[in-house]
Amino acid sequence: MTAATAPGPQARAAVVCGVGAALPSAVVSNADLTARLDTTDEWIRSRTGIAQRHIAGVDLSTEDLAVQAATQALAGSTPVAVEALVVATTTPDRCCPATAPAVASRLGLTGIPAYDLAAGCTGFLYALATASGLITAGTAQAVLVIGADRLACLPDPEDRTTVPLFGDGAGAMVLRGGSVGEDGALGPVVLGSDGTLADLIRASHPGTLHMEGAEVFRNAVERMSAASLKAARAVGWDVEDLDRLVPHQANARITGFVARQLGVPYDRQLTNVEHVGNTGAASIPLLLAQATADGRLKARHRVLLTAFGAGLTWGATTLTWPDLP
Ligand code: UT7
């Protein structure tokens, strides 16, 4: 069930050279939710750590968010010729065609291979593994990876157990060909899935999300902790070597349990869930972009990324953060 993508024989690696993010401007606070749902700010904060989330209106699509995040990532990247584009999303604007070709064309990249990938909230890590494979195989010199989701459309608007959890957003990362061992080079990407537990988080269309919260919680902690240890060991790191743990921002209790289980101190965890909620495939790149911009993430920090989501799916990888322009 678990696969690790090891570096190619020439020790070629996918190297991070730019990150970007996008959030809708509209914010829904816990106070806004208490006005229409049988809930309290105290319940939401204490169970999830979430205080507010950004919500896209009808005029802002998943594609729009993806383009915005990608534009920022490309603007802040070392110059590269992007030769492939992957969009990880659970909430594309339509079933067919995929989001990625339209995003590529809006970025002036018509003609390159561009495709979507769905792996729930683990989608960004699955997309990183794909990008790493494209680069190490020599298929593309540089790849643009985007995680974009409008998860806030999935819950029944009357369901107090799921509405508070989700927000909308996008994050993007530019990767280029480079060498194992240089700053920014992705380590092996540990991935896994368990379809026997598919019913724990499911939605057939907007407004129909079903989630068995306690079971999801238990699996999230167990899977992210195990994948993190495996990814760290694959590059010879002990937990003490980590400078920054970047877990998928499902909620603060889940990420806190993962950190505790791994033994990562509080000041080495990056988080933004209080301000954005669970943004699905956007979660990790959004947090990386924000933490790079505000200085919580610095060049040469040893970083561990881990995620968990519907599927069930999970994953983890490592990198030493590069000195971005
Ligand atoms: O990428 C993974 C995405 N999924 C997640 O992040 C969710 C993982 N699960 C969780 O984080 C937690 O299970 C939740 C935050 C969803 C729920 O927390 P919990 O501690 O597992 O609560 P619960 O579902 O066991 O519910 C406890 C009580 C229930 O009332 P009773 O039956 O004890 O009277 C619920 O009806 O809390 C009630 N409740 C609420 N009360 C006020 C549920 N939602 C709310 C609410 N406000 N919003």
Side-chain angles (χ1 to χ4, degrees):
M1 286 284 193
T2 298
T5 314
Q10 305 88 10
R12 191 169 159 79
V15 176
V16 175
C17 56
V19 286
L23 284 167
S25 54
V27 169
V28 172
S29 67
N30 289 351
D32 295 328
L33 293 184
T34 60
R36 64 179 180 83
L37 290 172
D38 179 17
T39 189
T40 61
D41 176 55
E42 196 281 329
W43 193 97
I44 299 171
R45 281 180 193 262
S46 63
R47 303 288 175 127
T48 71
I50 299 167
Q52 63 168 50
R53 63 292 289 149
H54 292 250
I55 305 291
V58 287
D59 56 341
L60 191 65
S61 63
T62 296
E63 181 186 308
D64 294 333
L65 286 166
V67 169
Q68 287 178 21
T71 302
Q72 194 185 84
L74 289 167
S77 166
T78 46
V80 289
V82 173
E83 295 181 344
L85 187 152
V86 187
V87 174
T89 184
T90 304
T91 51
D93 302 314
R94 53 190 178 245
C95 298
C96 179
T99 312
V103 172
S105 286
R106 285 176 61 181
L107 294 169
L109 296 168
T110 299
I112 66 167
Y115 52 95
D116 290 6
L117 174 160
C121 298
T122 319
F124 187 75
L125 291 186
Y126 271 72
L128 281 188
T130 304
S132 180
L134 291 169
I135 287 171
T136 55
T139 307
Q141 292 301 314
V143 180
L144 182 53
V145 176
I146 305 167
D149 264 319
R150 294 177 74 241
L151 290 188
C153 75
L154 292 185
D156 171 348
E158 306 297 320
D159 181 7
R160 68 174 183 168
T161 67
T162 53
V163 166
L165 305 178
F166 300 104
D168 302 331
M173 184 178 270
V174 186
L175 298 116
R176 62 166 174 82
S179 309
V180 170
E182 72 174 290
D183 290 350
L186 283 187
V189 186
V190 173
L191 299 174
S193 77
D194 183 354
T196 67
L197 298 177
D199 280 348
L200 293 187
I201 318 174
R202 62 174 193 271
S204 49
H205 50 81
T208 65
L209 181 70
H210 167 87
M211 185 170 68
E212 292 176 33
E215 265 308 287
V216 170
F217 193 111
R218 198 181 59 73
N219 275 279
V221 173
E222 188 182 313
R223 297 302 191 179
M224 283 198 279
S225 302
S228 296
L229 283 178
K230 198 166 176 181
R233 283 191 193 123
V235 288
W237 291 359
D238 291 325
V239 167
E240 304 81 68
D241 296 326
L242 291 180
D243 296 303
R244 294 293 179 263
L245 174 66
V246 184
H248 161 54
Q249 300 290 291
N251 78 49
R253 280 168 63 225
I254 290 178
T255 56
F257 268 92
V258 171
R260 220 166 305 149
Q261 200 142 314
L262 292 172
V264 175
Y266 183 77
D267 63 356
R268 296 191 191 172
Q269 303 165 39
L270 291 183
T271 179
N272 64 358
V273 74
E274 181 182 359
H275 307 292
V276 301
N278 179 347
T279 58
S283 178
I284 285 178
L286 178 59
L287 178 53
L288 290 173
Q290 289 179 336
T292 303
D294 66 24
R296 285 178 291 164
L297 184 54
K298 296 190 195 315
R300 276 165 289 287
H301 272 157
R302 293 193 197 199
V303 180
L304 192 147
L305 315 178
T306 185
F308 171 87
L312 300 177
T313 57
W314 57 86
T317 193
T318 54
L319 75 160
T320 299
W321 199 246
D323 196 1
L324 296 175

